[in-house]
Amino acid sequence: MVIRLFSQISFIFILSINGFAHAADPLTVHVFVALADNKHQGIVPIPSALGNGDNPAKNLYWGAAYGMKTFFGKKSSAWKLEYCRNAVSSSVLERCVFSTRDRPHAYLVADAYRGQEIGDAMADFMSSAAGKLALDESNSQHHPAIHIQAPNSAMLSIYVGHNGLMDAPLQAVALIFPAGIAQGRQAVVLACKSQAYFADYLNRSGAQSLVMTYDFMAPEAYVVEGIVEGRRHNESAENIRIRAAKAYAQYQRISENLARRIFGAPKL
């Protein structure tokens, strides 16, 4: 009886230790969102409210139905909004912090960059990919208190928005993309034809190009969710690309094979 009781206590203790380790070291994802901007980006014009790069609340990539803030904060059953704060910097109009509702636990920190500051969004993303953009997001007043600290950068960095390297006036920003060394970081670029424009720079950054795109596409939040869900469950890169394609096919109402071609995932 004593031996059985001791075994049960030991089992509970091991579970507690494992749970504590898991909670203490969640996956941290940093998302850099360049707000859609009709005036300052070479995009096909969209309705003025969706394409106002100074107004995150209604922007296509932030406050619209499939924008980062709305989707992760209201539509996703796996994630919840912890809090947002405004005017993070002259370029970042709003930052929102999300967390998963279940384990394995993850935090997602999303920054909404002013549309005309798309160059800053791309440069900061590349610095994060290279391990040279520290992430320190703390809120002791929030319940529960949140302390997200990545001294070098988040292990997964994601860029969402227009492919600014397609615009001649913005191509010079690539001159300041930093080099780095491989340390297990991963990067995703959800923008039109990102493989052709970002792959070489990401190779220099030392980050693994986890998901890139090979055609024109809509960089909306459901793709981010699919990618992060795969990453937090430690799935293979191939499976994560398939997740991205499945999400895109579902919401865009296209065939899965067509979606797989966009993300470089294997055909069915």
Side-chain angles (χ1 to χ4, degrees):
M1 180 68 178
V2 173
I3 294 175
R4 182 179 179 184
L5 179 60
F6 178 78
S7 298
Q8 289 175 335
I9 292 172
S10 298
F11 179 68
I12 292 171
F13 178 74
I14 290 169
L15 284 179
S16 298
I17 291 296
N18 286 341
F20 175 79
H22 208 36
D25 191 25
L27 171 67
T28 300
V29 183
H30 198 173
V31 183
F32 303 79
V33 181
L35 298 180
D37 194 307
N38 285 332
K39 292 183 179 179
H40 302 99
Q41 298 171 9
I43 62 175
V44 176
I46 55 180
S48 57
L50 297 175
N52 182 347
D54 293 323
N55 183 14
K58 295 184 178 181
N59 195 269
L60 179 63
Y61 300 143
W62 194 258
Y66 299 119
M68 285 297 303
K69 182 178 181 180
T70 301
F71 189 87
F72 276 85
K74 296 180 179 180
K75 292 182 176 293
S76 174
S77 61
W79 293 81
K80 61 181 178 178
L81 173 65
E82 295 291 353
Y83 62 86
C84 295
R85 56 190 183 92
N86 298 322
V88 178
S89 69
S90 59
S91 298
V92 179
L93 299 178
E94 187 173 22
R95 166 174 284 183
C96 291
V97 178
F98 307 90
S99 69
T100 49
R101 297 182 184 275
D102 59 8
R103 293 186 175 182
H105 194 53
Y107 283 115
L108 189 151
V109 179
D111 290 335
Y113 282 74
R114 192 185 303 274
Q116 63 182 313
E117 303 300 342
I118 183 175
D120 286 353
M122 293 190 296
D124 287 351
F125 160 74
M126 290 300 305
S127 292
S128 181
K132 298 182 177 181
L133 185 72
L135 176 60
D136 187 350
E137 178 55 44
S138 299
N139 188 336
S140 58
Q141 303 302 314
H142 183 70
H143 182 73
I146 288 179
H147 300 286
I148 303 170
Q149 293 182 317
N152 298 317
S153 67
M155 292 305 289
L156 176 58
S157 304
I158 302 178
Y159 174 80
V160 171
H162 172 59
N163 185 344
L165 297 184
M166 287 182 165
D167 300 347
L170 288 168
Q171 290 172 359
V173 72
L175 297 175
I176 64 171
F177 289 168
I181 58 175
Q183 292 182 333
R185 296 180 309 278
Q186 295 175 311
V188 171
V189 183
L190 297 181
C192 295
K193 297 185 176 183
S194 63
Q195 171 69 19
Y197 288 85
F198 282 86
D200 288 344
Y201 298 113
L202 285 175
N203 285 340
R204 286 203 316 130
S205 78
Q208 175 195 6
S209 297
L210 184 60
V211 179
M212 306 292 277
T213 67
Y214 294 78
D215 207 337
F216 294 99
M217 54 88 66
E220 295 182 314
Y222 45 82
V223 182
V224 177
E225 182 190 43
I227 291 167
V228 177
E229 286 299 290
R231 176 60 183 81
R232 77 184 178 102
H233 287 95
N234 292 316
E235 295 179 5
S236 67
E238 180 177 303
N239 282 347
I240 291 172
R241 293 181 190 116
I242 291 172
R243 274 187 178 264
K246 284 179 177 288
Y248 198 77
Q250 176 186 346
Y251 284 91
Q252 290 289 321
R253 298 181 180 180
I254 62 175
S255 73
E256 191 175 319
N257 263 335
L258 178 57
R260 286 181 181 228
R261 286 200 292 271
I262 293 172
F263 295 99
K267 294 181 181 180
L268 292 173

